[in-house]
Amino acid sequence: GDMLQANYVIDPQVQGRVSMQTSQALPREHLLPTLELLLRMHDAALVDTGTLYRVVPRASAISATQAPQLGDSGLALPPGFRIQIVPLQHVAAAEMAAILEHFLTDGSTLLRVDSTRNLLILASDGQTLDGLLETVRIFDVDRMAGMSIALFTPDFVDAVTLGEELDSLLADPEQGLMPGLLRVLVIERLNGVLVISPRPDVLARAREWVTRLDRASGGA
């Protein structure tokens, strides 16, 4: 309170003593994240109400938070326990929740999925939320951005056969000529083979192999 010129109140249910020693002076911007970490060790949370900080039991921190924040901004999060609404652009909310669950170890962070609006609702302290939002930014990307795509419709062989041959010849991780550089998808309705790659030169090589493989086996 003295260092940051901040007003605060402590819930009577929050109890405990902490002795902390640092090897060097803490920068001012690290004081509140450090305090949040210490409070978390005693199952308490810091809630910023706008006019003062409230130190409350972690179980009641969600109800003490005034309003949710929108979490699709790149700005740094303010300190304190808060509710964050995270709209997703390219990944389904349920799929992103499954990814984030691997980073929730202590069960103190709230994670809810709104599949209808494709968004997540998160509630935790600022430092934890910062890490979760960074994870969202890493995975919520357009997987087709920057990709080269070609659709091949064979004349002599069926698409399933051509797709299997291309996949084993080029994309197979053990025996393929270009493993990890392309993906082969068969579209039976169009009798076509879709090849996706981040490199145009790989598509050119795939086109050469389609020409070699799409040939009549004999007859007229």
Side-chain angles (χ1 to χ4, degrees), residues 17-122:
R17 291 183 69 87
V18 175
S19 297
M20 185 187 71
Q21 184 176 357
T22 62
S23 59
Q24 57 186 8
L26 285 176
R28 178 179 294 269
E29 61 269 18
H30 291 176
L31 291 177
L32 282 176
T34 303
L35 175 59
E36 283 193 285
L37 179 62
L38 297 175
L39 289 172
R40 190 168 187 167
M41 294 168 60
H42 287 272
D43 205 26
L46 187 70
V47 177
D48 184 4
T49 65
T51 56
L52 54 80
Y53 289 103
R54 296 182 59 193
V55 181
V56 298
R58 197 170 183 84
S60 60
I62 294 179
S63 59
T65 303
Q66 289 185 327
Q69 308 257 331
L70 191 63
D72 60 348
S73 170
L75 299 176
L77 291 176
F81 194 100
R82 60 191 61 251
I83 302 173
Q84 206 82 11
I85 297 176
V86 187
L88 301 172
Q89 302 297 325
H90 306 290
V91 179
E95 182 180 347
M96 183 63 71
I99 295 173
L100 294 181
E101 283 176 353
H102 294 288
F103 300 92
L104 307 180
T105 56
D106 58 1
S108 60
T109 299
L110 174 72
L111 172 61
R112 294 290 184 270
V113 175
D114 186 338
S115 298
T116 303
R117 300 169 186 81
N118 200 43
L119 55 84
L120 298 177
I121 301 173
L122 301 171

Side-chain angles (χ1 to χ4, degrees), residues 4-25:
L4 299 179
Q5 298 298 308
N7 296 319
Y8 63 91
V9 294
I10 302 177
D11 191 292
Q13 299 181 61
V14 176
Q15 300 292 328
R17 291 183 69 87
V18 175
S19 297
M20 185 187 71
Q21 184 176 357
T22 62
S23 59
Q24 57 186 8

Side-chain angles (χ1 to χ4, degrees), residues 74-203:
L75 299 176
L77 291 176
F81 194 100
R82 60 191 61 251
I83 302 173
Q84 206 82 11
I85 297 176
V86 187
L88 301 172
Q89 302 297 325
H90 306 290
V91 179
E95 182 180 347
M96 183 63 71
I99 295 173
L100 294 181
E101 283 176 353
H102 294 288
F103 300 92
L104 307 180
T105 56
D106 58 1
S108 60
T109 299
L110 174 72
L111 172 61
R112 294 290 184 270
V113 175
D114 186 338
S115 298
T116 303
R117 300 169 186 81
N118 200 43
L119 55 84
L120 298 177
I121 301 173
L122 301 171
S124 190
D125 57 82
Q127 190 173 12
T128 301
L129 280 177
D130 214 8
L132 294 176
L133 291 179
E134 179 62 27
T135 303
V136 170
R137 283 190 285 269
I138 291 173
F139 286 97
D140 187 26
V141 295
D142 185 358
R143 297 176 182 175
M144 297 301 290
M147 291 290 185
S148 297
I149 306 170
L151 177 65
F152 302 105
T153 53
D155 296 319
F156 300 101
V157 299
D158 63 273
V160 174
T161 301
L162 179 62
E164 291 175 350
E165 292 177 348
L166 279 178
D167 192 64
S168 61
L169 182 65
L170 302 179
D172 185 88
E174 295 183 358
Q175 301 178 350
L177 299 177
M178 294 177 286
L181 293 179
L182 77 166
R183 186 178 180 189
V184 179
L185 301 174
V186 176
I187 305 177
E188 294 188 53
R189 182 174 59 85
L190 301 177
N191 192 43
V193 177
L194 192 68
V195 179
I196 306 171
S197 175
R199 292 170 42 179
D201 61 307
V202 171
L203 281 188

